[in-house]
Amino acid sequence: PYAGRAVGSRVVNTVGAGIVPSIVSTSKRAKTQVAEMIKDHLESTAIDFDGNTNLYGLQAMAERARSERGEAIILRHIPKSTEMSKKGLKVPLQLRVLEGDYLDHRKHGWSGDHYIFMGVEFDDSGTRVAYWLFDDHPNSVERHRRGAMTSRRVPASEVIHYYHVLRPGQVRGIPDGTPVIMTAWDLAEYEDARLMREKIAA
């Protein structure tokens, strides 16, 4: 419960009700058009590839995943014209938030002149050029139905790898609770033991 509350507080303090985009333009007409676009697209479930929440909900999901898992993967999806009409989209842009588990940590080593470290691909200059991602969560029912896990290469230009960089050269994220996980576990066991003691005494 303490860890859950800490994560919730982190999300509220970071994102709150949502980080709202600001419109910078000298044209009143342009401001009006962009404001309508924000309302119709970003503030509706149209922006979400999975169709569950709006831009501010995606922000909260990304921050919660980063806090709990250490990192979040945010994918940019540009729908085709036929897909836009089918989904009723006015703007050709959708976002999808994934947990860091989607990164294929088995992808490790040299691939030509590129080096892959735990699913993150670098070119010979050390620049991130791609991410190797699973189509389904490694522990999902869909993944087990399909059998062997396979990942696909996604260009880095289509990905936001959201995590806190705590040391030079860090490639993957670290959960916020890592330093206190054993203490939290001991505290939970202590509370259970104390509760059992009181029950026996009663």
Side-chain angles (χ1 to χ4, degrees), residues 11 26 31-32 34 47 60 83 85 91 138 174 176 187 194 198:
V11 173
T26 56
K31 283 186 177 181
T32 302
V34 174
I47 188 63
E83 191 177 354
S85 59
V91 179
I174 302 172
D176 289 348
L187 177 60
R194 186 62 183 265
E198 297 299 328

Side-chain angles (χ1 to χ4, degrees), residues 154-183:
V154 180
S157 58
E158 305 301 313
V159 176
I160 296 175
H161 188 190
Y162 176 46
Y163 69 101
H164 285 179
V165 182
L166 303 175
R167 58 182 178 80
Q170 181 181 335
V171 177
R172 300 287 302 270
I174 302 172
D176 289 348
T178 299
V180 297
I181 189 66
M182 291 306 299
T183 303

Side-chain angles (χ1 to χ4, degrees), residues 35-199:
E36 291 177 355
M37 182 272 292
I38 290 175
K39 182 177 180 180
D40 295 339
H41 193 68
L42 301 185
E43 295 183 356
S44 71
T45 57
I47 188 63
D48 184 5
F49 179 83
D50 296 319
N52 296 322
T53 185
N54 58 17
L55 175 66
Y56 314 123
L58 290 174
Q59 293 171 2
M61 284 173 55
E63 178 57 30
R64 178 172 291 277
R66 189 217 57 76
S67 185
E68 289 181 347
R69 306 282 181 159
E71 57 193 350
I73 305 295
I74 305 171
L75 294 180
R76 178 171 62 177
H77 175 68
I78 306 298
K80 299 178 181 178
S81 56
T82 54
E83 191 177 354
M84 286 186 62
S85 59
K86 184 178 179 180
K87 293 184 176 181
L89 300 176
K90 296 182 179 180
V91 179
L93 171 66
Q94 288 185 305
L95 302 176
R96 189 181 186 193
V97 177
L98 303 175
E99 294 177 335
D101 297 343
Y102 277 79
L103 269 172
D104 188 355
H105 64 276
R106 305 169 306 169
K107 289 286 186 180
H108 200 82
W110 288 98
S111 177
D113 59 349
H114 287 189
Y115 186 76
I116 305 174
F117 180 81
M118 297 185 70
V120 183
E121 183 177 333
F122 300 85
D123 62 14
D124 55 358
S125 66
T127 302
R128 297 182 186 225
V129 294
Y131 291 84
W132 289 85
L133 302 173
F134 296 118
D135 289 329
D136 306 299
H137 193 282
N139 296 325
S140 67
V141 175
E142 183 66 19
R143 201 282 298 171
H144 288 288
R145 185 182 69 82
R146 292 184 180 183
M149 291 192 301
T150 56
S151 57
R152 59 188 176 89
R153 186 179 185 273
V154 180
S157 58
E158 305 301 313
V159 176
I160 296 175
H161 188 190
Y162 176 46
Y163 69 101
H164 285 179
V165 182
L166 303 175
R167 58 182 178 80
Q170 181 181 335
V171 177
R172 300 287 302 270
I174 302 172
D176 289 348
T178 299
V180 297
I181 189 66
M182 291 306 299
T183 303
W185 179 267
D186 291 340
L187 177 60
E189 287 192 324
Y190 169 77
E191 290 184 336
D192 289 341
R194 186 62 183 265
L195 179 61
M196 181 60 65
R197 175 187 175 183
E198 297 299 328
K199 283 184 176 180

